[in-house]
Amino acid sequence: KLADPGSLPDIQLQRRQEAARLHRALARLPEKYRLIIELRDLRELSIAATARSLSLTASAVKTRHHRARKLLLRALGSAK
């Protein structure tokens, strides 16, 4: 069954709004956390590649990534 063509613009608009909301929340993060999210989640770099890019240990990348995701979720919660 094909989707209702009338709903496609609504879905596209919703996706654009969600992307804009995510970008605003990312922009509010401190740079060290924003970079981790960009490298690990958006560019899909491995922990090792991210560690090399930022001159960090793998352990530091894991810790910072965890903290960054928590901060991003908090920022998204306040961006509603």
Side-chain angles (χ1 to χ4, degrees):
K1 181 178 175 182
L2 294 175
D4 176 13
S7 67
L8 291 178
D10 292 338
I11 292 170
Q12 292 171 347
L13 175 62
Q14 183 179 2
R15 286 183 181 157
R16 283 194 304 270
Q17 289 172 337
E18 286 297 314
R21 185 172 163 250
L22 176 61
H23 285 9
R24 284 190 305 272
L26 270 172
R28 288 197 305 269
L29 294 182
E31 183 178 20
K32 70 180 188 177
Y33 295 121
R34 187 175 59 252
L35 284 173
I36 287 286
I37 294 290
E38 288 174 0
L39 295 175
R40 291 286 293 131
D41 297 318
L42 301 179
R43 295 186 190 173
E44 299 181 349
L45 291 185
S46 67
I47 290 170
T50 302
R52 282 191 302 274
S53 294
L54 299 175
S55 299
L56 297 171
T57 65
S59 179
V61 168
K62 291 176 189 179
T63 300
R64 198 174 285 184
H65 189 223
H66 177 74
R67 290 178 182 158
R69 282 183 165 192
K70 284 175 67 173
L71 287 172
L72 181 59
L73 285 173
R74 199 173 300 146
L76 284 169
S78 67
K80 288 183 180 179

